[in-house]
Amino acid sequence: MATLMKRQGVRMWRAFLVLVGLSVLCNVAIGARKGHASMDQRGLRRRHPGHMSLHKHRQGAGKQGQVLHRSKRGWVWNQFFVIEEYTGPDPVLVGRLHSDVDSGDGNIKYILSGEGAGTIFVIDDKTGNIHATKTLDREEQAQYTLTAQAVARDTHKPLEPPSEFIVKVQDINDNPPEFLHGPYYARVPEMSNVGTSVMQVTATDADDPTYGNSARLVYSILQGQPYFSVEPQTGIIRTALPNMDREARQEYDVVIQAKDMGGHMGGLSGTTEVKITLTDVNDNPPKFPQSVYSMSVLEDKVPGEEVGRLKAKDPDLGDNGLVNYRIIDGDGVAMFELTTDSETREAVIKLKKPVDFETKRTYTLKVEGSNPHIDPQFLAWGPYKDEATIKIVVEDADEPPVFVAPSYTFEVEENAPEGTLVGRVHAKDTDVANNPVRYMIPRYTDVEQFFAINSEDGMITTTRPLDRETQAWHNISVSATEIGGHHQDTKVRVNIRVKDVNDNAPEFATNNEVLMCETVVPGKVIESVSAVDKDEMAHRQHFTFSLAPEVAHNHNFSLKDNRDSTASIYVLRKGFSRLTQDVYYLPVEINDNGFPAMSSTNTLTIRVCSCDSKDTILSCNVEPYVLPAGLSTGALIAILACIVILLAIVVLFVALRRQKKEPLIVFEEEDIRENIITYDDEGGGEEDTEAFDIATLQNPDGANGFLPRKDMKPELQYPIRPGLGRPAANSVDVDDFIKTRIAEADSDPTAPPYDSIQIYGYEGRGSLAGSLSSLESVTTESDLDYDYLQSWGPRFKKLADLYGTKDCSINDGDDGEDS
């Protein structure tokens, strides 16, 4: 269908061009008569050459005062048009270029340049026909600017100046409308009036809006009737039904279509989805599911505990669905309270005051639930509240005993004898059974067990005399437990005040010394004394002061009672001296005038001090007067320090002298004669010359070099015995050499032992003496005769004695056993 429409359009366009060509031919004929250039069939006009010369002559004459005429261009162009999306087999003829100088002999060549020249647009250089070789799309490029020129074919010289012209791509309806921002989401309040605007959707068409109806769009609704409608020209979606209820249906899927060509047949179309959501409004009042609710509560519940819950249903959302609850009537208004759970939005009934099964067993409450936010638009749909009745039944519970008073306060005199009655507490069982009650004092409230209670009648007595000055109040608890039932108990606070008895004598308030100057004048007050009493002072009770009888007639000090529980101490003479007497003791008698009266004698210490002319105390110490003249304290400390240092030096010197002495010889290297080398094979006998160097024994001083001695003489000097001379170095008598060394070592206690022992662990060959090893003799039983060792000389005498003696001993033992 689209191809057919394109072909029809091309045919119509060609017919239009034919009409234009006929019009142009008419204009050419008229123009030829008037001397103007002829115009070709596409609307190109060229001025006649003869007129060019004439025009130039007139220009020259104009300079001499003649009228000047505007010089016309050699090419006058109109726009060329080509239809887009042409799919015919042949290239589309766009137009024809022709010049008046072209006589048709082929000497003129037409050249085309500019946008698409040579690729999209080609020109026949002889005839000037322009063809489009490719399919054009107006949406990609709407027009092309080209340049035309006529040149001589042989010389390529321009015959006319170049001139630009435009080829416009003629639009066809080849692009459907598009919704660039879909899908769309919109919200509209529920219960909106018909025609309420929801939103506007807009589609775009890439075709040319200035040509035809290719881009003229019309909107329609494909899905969403009868709830919504759309305006055909604007795309505004509006509600089409009244009273759309969100609680019935919340979301709607609407499909909108946009169609070009003004919505006529053959137009292209595009669709989009619009999801419309109804928003909530407060159009539903709250409603209790029940008109009457039943609840129960135990009588032992404490205030604040929950009794039950109820909730009014409101299908609205958010603030529109909020419900406020309150108690509006009932005989339980004073006993119960109502709160709202912030999470579940339930009304919570709580106990406000304790209830008693024996007093009242049922209560009634009337509760109201209402919306706090009401929309005036829907006010006529009200009322937005509902009521419900709650019946609360009090259930019986085994309650603990109840004391008659919430707390008790008793008094008892201090020092009262054991068993003195303090007071009585009383509790009773409020249940119907009215069980008896047993009393006790919890030990943690009376740790020292000052009191006892009669478990049957609640009489509290003392267990010992009480002292108010130690503890004036005793705060204990008394527990009452129901006998029988669930043994529930309750406690009450008992405060016991210990009444005061005058049993403490008064005493000085402070025990500070009184400092008095040596130069004090007679009659001066040196101190004002006061008293304290641990007992409570009665009204108008005061302390009286007097000197003790033994000092009542002293000549140094006197006392005056001021009758306000204070007394003043006066000086009677002058001439006090620290050297004579530095401290005076003045006994004062204090009486509390209580009942019974208590008195005590307290001693006031008066110290004599040295003062300056302004009676400022300088010193109250007597030691500086009695110290003998001599060295100062600093000098004594320095002397003691020197003595301590000298003692430390002596001790250090003695310790160093007693340290262990070091060896006399300094070994630069390890002496090979101190090594004990153990071999696990047997020596090679006399033929083994590599095991030991005999020269080392002959000349030990030359083995490792000279061993220097420390420059310290031994404490004991032993003279070398005569006849123990060192044998010659070249002597081969090893026995004499060894004996000499042993003798020197035995006689010289400062000489180190240079003996060296070597053990061979293998058996040698070629020795005339045979094997000396006892390795094989240990593991094998041999019947060898060792008597031949007696003939080997003194060197093997010890060995011969050992083996010979053993044999003899064994033989003797055998003989003994035989006997």
Side-chain angles (χ1 to χ4, degrees):
M1 178 64 71
T3 304
L4 179 60
M5 292 177 64
K6 292 180 180 178
R7 290 179 179 176
Q8 292 176 353
V10 171
R11 292 171 184 171
M12 293 174 64
W13 177 246
R14 287 179 178 175
F16 172 75
L17 291 179
V18 171
L19 294 176
V20 173
L22 293 175
S23 176
V24 170
L25 289 176
C26 295
N27 291 334
V28 169
I30 296 172
R33 293 175 183 179
K34 294 180 178 180
H36 290 91
S38 63
M39 179 178 290
D40 67 355
Q41 61 176 348
R42 305 302 288 176
L44 283 77
R45 295 189 297 168
R46 176 72 177 108
R47 184 171 54 82
H48 194 273
H51 287 259
M52 176 73 71
S53 301
L54 180 61
H55 183 68
K56 292 181 178 179
H57 175 73
R58 288 178 179 175
Q59 286 182 344
K63 296 180 180 179
Q64 298 177 1
Q66 297 179 359
V67 179
L68 297 177
H69 296 277
R70 181 175 58 86
S71 176
K72 296 184 179 180
R73 296 174 56 189
W75 298 90
V76 179
W77 302 96
N78 289 326
Q79 293 180 347
F80 289 166
F81 294 90
V82 60
I83 297 177
E84 68 169 336
E85 303 292 346
Y86 176 72
T87 58
D90 299 326
V92 179
L93 177 62
V94 178
R96 180 182 179 185
L97 301 180
H98 184 73
S99 177
D100 291 345
V101 298
D102 186 1
S103 58
D105 54 2
N107 292 328
I108 294 179
K109 182 180 180 180
Y110 295 97
I111 300 174
L112 186 66
S113 63
E115 295 178 331
T119 57
I120 300 176
F121 303 100
V122 295
I123 188 170
D124 189 335
D125 59 356
K126 293 181 179 181
T127 63
N129 291 334
I130 302 173
H131 291 83
T133 61
K134 294 183 179 180
T135 302
L136 302 180
D137 188 358
R138 190 199 67 83
E139 286 71 37
E140 293 183 0
Q141 188 167 348
Q143 65 182 20
Y144 297 85
T145 302
L146 299 173
T147 302
Q149 190 175 19
V151 299
R153 185 176 294 278
D154 52 354
T155 62
H156 293 285
K157 289 185 178 181
L159 300 178
E160 296 289 344
S163 183
E164 290 184 351
F165 65 95
I166 296 174
V167 178
K168 285 192 174 183
V169 182
Q170 190 69 44
D171 182 51
I172 64 172
N173 189 20
D174 59 341
N175 292 280
E178 292 183 356
F179 292 92
L180 301 180
H181 304 288
Y184 298 89
Y185 298 90
R187 300 165 67 89
V188 63
E190 63 173 334
M191 299 296 172
S192 297
N193 297 326
V194 176
T196 302
S197 175
V198 179
M199 72 173 304
Q200 183 179 14
V201 294
T202 304
T204 59
D205 196 319
D207 293 326
D208 189 359
T210 63
Y211 178 77
N213 294 327
S214 299
R216 183 166 170 260
L217 304 180
V218 174
Y219 298 93
S220 62
I221 184 168
L222 301 182
Q223 179 181 320
Q225 301 97 337
Y227 307 103
F228 300 95
S229 63
V230 62
E231 293 183 358
Q233 304 301 326
T234 62
I236 297 176
I237 302 174
R238 300 181 182 275
T239 58
L241 279 182
N243 300 332
M244 286 192 293
D245 191 3
R246 183 200 65 83
E247 289 74 29
R249 182 178 178 182
Q250 184 173 359
E251 294 183 349
Y252 296 84
D253 294 326
V254 179
V255 178
I256 302 297
Q257 174 185 269
K259 190 174 183 180
D260 59 12
M261 298 300 291
H264 293 94
M265 183 72 66
L268 303 179
S269 64
T271 61
T272 186
E273 292 185 1
V274 181
K275 184 178 287 295
I276 302 176
T277 302
L278 298 182
T279 58
D280 185 63
V281 297
N282 189 9
D283 59 338
N284 295 281
K287 183 68 176 177
F288 286 104
Q290 303 172 218
S291 59
V292 178
Y293 291 83
S294 298
M295 300 179 184
S296 61
V297 60
L298 287 171
E299 64 174 339
D300 59 353
K301 294 293 184 181
V302 297
E305 291 196 29
E306 181 179 325
V307 178
R309 295 184 175 220
L310 70 159
K311 183 178 182 181
K313 293 184 178 181
D314 192 329
D316 295 325
L317 300 178
D319 292 341
N320 296 324
L322 289 179
V323 180
N324 288 345
Y325 303 94
R326 65 190 184 100
I327 300 175
I328 59 176
D329 196 6
D331 58 359
V333 174
M335 307 301 294
F336 300 92
E337 61 184 355
L338 187 148
T339 60
T340 303
D341 191 323
S342 59
E343 295 183 358
T344 63
R345 306 306 303 174
E346 293 176 313
V348 182
I349 306 298
K350 294 184 178 180
L351 191 63
K352 186 177 182 180
K353 294 181 180 180
V355 293
D356 188 8
F357 174 79
E358 290 75 22
T359 304
K360 186 175 178 59
R361 301 186 180 186
T362 59
Y363 294 91
T364 302
L365 298 175
K366 182 174 287 188
V367 177
E368 178 188 83
S370 61
N371 289 139
H373 306 286
I374 300 176
D375 192 340
Q377 183 180 354
F378 306 100
L379 188 60
W381 296 20
Y384 289 88
K385 60 183 179 180
D386 193 18
E387 296 179 357
T389 302
I390 304 175
K391 293 185 177 181
I392 302 175
V393 177
V394 180
E395 297 180 353
D396 188 23
D398 188 9
E399 298 176 295
V402 177
F403 282 93
V404 175
S407 64
Y408 295 88
T409 300
F410 301 122
E411 291 183 351
V412 62
E413 288 189 354
E414 68 173 328
N415 302 326
E418 176 185 351
T420 301
L421 177 64
V422 176
R424 179 186 179 185
V425 296
H426 179 64
K428 62 180 180 178
D429 184 12
T430 59
D431 294 327
V432 178
N434 194 17
N435 294 321
V437 176
R438 182 177 62 249
Y439 303 93
M440 65 173 294
I441 298 176
R443 288 299 95 187
Y444 65 88
T445 64
D446 184 21
V447 178
E448 299 184 20
Q449 301 183 10
F450 288 109
F451 305 95
I453 188 171
N454 189 305
S455 62
E456 295 181 359
D457 56 11
M459 302 292 291
I460 302 175
T461 57
T462 60
T463 60
R464 71 189 76 171
L466 303 178
D467 186 7
R468 191 203 66 85
E469 288 71 35
T470 303
Q471 187 172 351
W473 284 88
H474 294 266
N475 301 316
I476 64 174
S477 296
V478 174
S479 173
T481 304
E482 177 185 347
I483 300 176
H486 296 86
H487 301 286
Q488 297 190 71
D489 65 339
T490 186
K491 295 180 177 62
V492 69
R493 194 71 175 172
V494 179
N495 304 314
I496 302 174
R497 175 178 174 268
V498 181
K499 297 172 62 176
D500 184 49
V501 174
N502 193 22
D503 57 347
N504 292 278
E507 57 188 13
F508 279 142
T510 60
N511 292 321
N512 297 332
E513 291 183 346
V514 179
L515 304 181
M516 182 186 66
C517 293
E518 291 177 312
T519 58
V520 63
V521 297
K524 183 178 181 180
V525 178
I526 60 173
E527 182 69 11
S528 180
V529 296
S530 60
V532 293
D533 195 331
K534 294 181 181 179
D535 296 321
E536 293 180 351
M537 295 292 292
H539 183 60
R540 295 183 180 180
Q541 182 181 353
H542 63 278
F543 300 108
T544 57
F545 300 85
S546 61
L547 293 179
E550 61 269 21
V551 296
H553 303 289
N554 74 93
H555 303 287
N556 297 319
F557 306 99
S558 65
L559 182 147
K560 178 183 178 182
D561 192 342
N562 298 323
R563 299 184 181 277
D564 58 355
S565 297
T566 63
S568 301
I569 307 298
Y570 290 86
V571 179
L572 297 179
R573 68 177 180 88
K574 62 179 181 178
F576 292 94
S577 174
R578 286 187 299 162
L579 298 179
T580 304
Q581 184 175 351
D582 61 336
V583 177
Y584 292 86
Y585 298 100
L586 184 66
V588 178
E589 187 176 283
I590 308 174
N591 194 307
D592 62 4
N593 297 311
F595 181 81
M598 299 292 293
S599 63
S600 65
T601 301
N602 298 260
T603 301
L604 183 65
T605 302
I606 302 173
R607 184 175 296 277
V608 181
C609 303
S610 64
C611 303
D612 57 10
S613 59
K614 297 181 180 180
D615 291 339
T616 302
I617 296 176
L618 299 178
S619 174
C620 295
N621 245 336
V622 76
E623 284 76 13
Y625 292 93
V626 298
L627 283 176
L631 295 176
S632 64
T633 304
L636 292 176
I637 294 175
I639 293 173
L640 291 177
C642 292
I643 294 174
V644 171
I645 293 172
L646 290 176
L647 291 175
I649 294 173
V650 171
V651 172
L652 180 63
F653 179 76
V654 173
L656 292 176
R657 292 285 297 176
R658 291 184 178 181
Q659 285 183 348
K660 184 177 181 181
K661 298 180 181 180
E662 297 180 359
L664 299 177
I665 299 178
V666 178
F667 293 90
E668 295 180 357
E669 296 181 0
E670 185 179 3
D671 194 342
I672 62 172
R673 290 170 294 176
E674 293 181 354
N675 293 337
I676 300 176
I677 303 173
T678 304
Y679 297 90
D680 290 337
D681 53 359
E682 194 162 343
E686 295 178 357
E687 292 183 353
D688 186 6
T689 60
E690 297 178 359
F692 194 84
D693 188 5
I694 193 81
T696 301
L697 293 176
Q698 294 177 351
N699 188 17
D701 293 338
N704 294 321
F706 177 70
L707 296 176
R709 290 177 176 267
K710 288 186 177 181
D711 192 12
M712 184 181 293
K713 295 181 180 181
E715 295 180 357
L716 299 177
Q717 298 290 338
Y718 292 88
I720 300 177
R721 296 180 183 179
L724 297 177
R726 181 185 295 269
N730 296 328
S731 174
V732 297
D733 192 351
V734 179
D735 185 44
D736 294 338
F737 175 79
I738 292 175
K739 289 181 179 179
T740 302
R741 288 298 185 182
I742 291 173
E744 289 179 358
D746 293 339
S747 60
D748 187 5
T750 62
Y754 293 120
D755 298 340
S756 179
I757 302 174
Q758 296 205 16
I759 301 173
Y760 297 90
Y762 65 93
E763 185 76 22
R765 297 192 303 272
S767 176
L768 297 176
S771 175
L772 299 178
S773 175
S774 60
L775 295 176
E776 295 180 357
S777 63
V778 175
T779 57
T780 59
E781 294 181 1
S782 176
D783 296 334
L784 295 178
D785 185 13
Y786 297 100
D787 293 337
Y788 61 88
L789 296 176
Q790 298 291 341
S791 60
W792 283 11
R795 295 181 181 179
F796 300 95
K797 183 176 182 302
K798 185 64 174 176
L799 188 59
D801 293 340
L802 290 174
Y803 282 87
T805 305
K806 180 179 179 181
D807 293 339
C808 295
S809 301
I810 293 173
N811 293 333
D812 296 340
D814 294 340
D815 295 340
E817 290 175 1
D818 294 339
S819 61

